[in-house]
Structures are given as structure tokens and as C-alpha cells.
Amino acid sequence: MSYKLVVGLGNPGSEYENTRHNMGFMLLERFLAGHRPERWEKVHICNSYCYIGSFAGAKLILQLPQTFMNNSGTAVAKLMRQEKIEPSEVVVVYDDMDLEPGRLRIRRNGASGGHHGIDSIIAELGNRGDFTRLRLGIGHGKDTVDHVLSGFSAAEQAAVDSSLTVGCKALEMLIRCGAGKAMNEYNSWSYTPEAEPETAVTDKN
């Protein structure tokens, strides 16, 4: 399988930067930063910022829709039609409340799991969601809307940072080797805090 489009979901605007709902944006920005960003062409098309470049020997588009989360499908479907990209050639990266920070999951297809951005893409494509997903954990909150639009706590930050780093590696494997291998490699991964260094004890005897 060859992927041609990677979509990161999020909300545009500085007030939403680094919020839980913007994990898709955050991962694509980190992926781009690690792969010679100067070699990717940045364009504003299809209600999105898109970075067009080459990865693993083939053309790849990184898309950050600017339509706000609940209308993400409008931008994604428009770009897919313009570039003649099939759902099977798409990876969508987004946040998942059912996973704790520091966890990620790769899945080939399926329902939205209540994620409004994925709902929008499925509705616009008119299919069962036959695209690959990379889901990044953000944990649950008492109020869903307030939770997804909030930032991460200091205690969560190390797990979030690790999940973005590992998520980039998972995305690389997805593109190079396909979903099956990436799922086997990364679906069992979870962040483990580094052990605190032992405090030296002086023997007073």
C-alpha cells in the first residue's frame, strides 16, 4: 500500500495551539521539522495549509485543514478530489480521548468513535471510513468540549512529548512499510517515565 496524503486534524488559530484537540497538527509539525522542512513546498489550497514533498521515494502531501475540526471533511475531500487520491491512500492523525496521554493506536478503518473531525471526513467521503488512522491519547475529562480545548498539565507533558516523538516514527513506518507492520510495532507502546536516580546513602557505621 502506498500512502499519498497524511492529514493532521486540529483547529486553526493561536488560541488552540498545544491544546489536546490539536495533536494531529502537532505531530505533523514535528514530522515536518524532522524531515528537512526547507525541501517541502508550503501552499494554501483546499481550505488547508499543505506541505508537498517527497518521502520514501514518492510524492507525499501533509495537510492541515483550516476549516475547524468539525468541518475537516470538507477540506480533506476537496484535496482528495483535486489530487485524485483514494481513501486507502490516506492516513489521518488525530487525538483520542479513549487513550491516555502517552499511548497511540494505528487502525486501518472503522467508525469515528465519536470524534467529530472523523465524522466529518466519513460523511464527505461517503464511505465507511476506509482510511488509515493514527490516534494519539489525550485522556478523558469531566466536560468533553472543555477537555479537548484545554492544554496538557505539567504532569502529562512528558508523556505527550514522548507520544509525538514515537508517533512520528510510527508514521514513518506506516508510509514505508504499511499499516500491518506499524500496528505490530507500535500499538502496544506506552510511555514509561524514566526511573528517578537512586539517592546515594552514606554508611555512617
Side-chain angles (χ1 to χ4, degrees), residues 7-44:
V7 182
L9 296 187
N11 287 309
S14 58
E15 66 268 37
Y16 298 108
E17 288 180 3
N18 300 316
T19 59
R20 296 172 192 268
H21 228 14
N22 273 37
M23 287 291 280
F25 278 12
M26 292 158 66
L27 187 135
L28 257 63
E29 288 162 358
R30 183 168 297 199
F31 179 88
L32 184 68
H35 292 88
R36 302 182 68 178
E38 71 277 4
R39 299 189 65 178
W40 297 72
E41 179 187 6
K42 182 180 180 180
V43 296
H44 189 269

Side-chain angles (χ1 to χ4, degrees), residues 2-3 31 35 40 53-60 172 175-177:
S2 176
Y3 293 107
F31 179 88
H35 292 88
W40 297 72
S54 179
F55 185 79
K59 178 181 177 181
L60 182 67
E172 290 178 11
I175 298 168
R176 293 182 186 277
C177 307

Side-chain angles (χ1 to χ4, degrees), residues 68-186:
F68 288 94
M69 182 66 78
N70 292 2
N71 295 313
S72 299
T74 303
V76 175
K78 187 175 182 180
L79 182 62
M80 289 174 64
R81 287 193 296 268
Q82 177 175 302
E83 297 294 324
K84 297 180 173 58
I85 297 173
E86 296 296 323
S88 62
E89 299 171 319
V90 177
V91 178
V92 181
V93 184
Y94 61 100
D95 58 289
D96 191 333
M97 289 198 306
D98 290 333
L99 298 173
E100 291 301 312
R103 302 293 301 272
L104 62 82
R105 287 289 185 279
I106 297 162
R107 186 178 179 183
R108 287 193 177 93
N109 51 42
S112 70
H115 192 285
H116 295 318
I118 300 298
D119 276 331
S120 177
I121 295 174
I122 291 173
E124 290 290 335
L125 296 183
N127 65 20
R128 301 185 311 279
D130 296 333
F131 49 87
T132 300
R133 301 100 187 280
L134 172 52
R135 299 147 47 207
L136 302 166
I138 62 168
H140 275 286
K142 293 181 179 179
D143 182 273
T144 298
V145 174
D146 287 345
H147 181 67
V148 299
L149 296 181
S150 69
F152 292 98
S153 69
E156 294 172 317
Q157 199 58 57
V160 172
D161 187 66
S162 184
S163 69
L164 290 171
T165 298
V166 175
C168 286
K169 295 178 182 178
L171 180 57
E172 290 178 11
M173 184 172 284
L174 260 174
I175 298 168
R176 293 182 186 277
C177 307
K181 186 168 183 178
M183 289 166 67
N184 289 337
E185 182 73 19
Y186 290 103

Side-chain angles (χ1 to χ4, degrees), residues 49-68:
Y49 286 118
C50 293
Y51 296 85
I52 304 172
S54 179
F55 185 79
K59 178 181 177 181
L60 182 67
I61 302 174
L62 309 178
Q63 181 184 21
L64 282 68
Q66 302 295 296
T67 53
F68 288 94

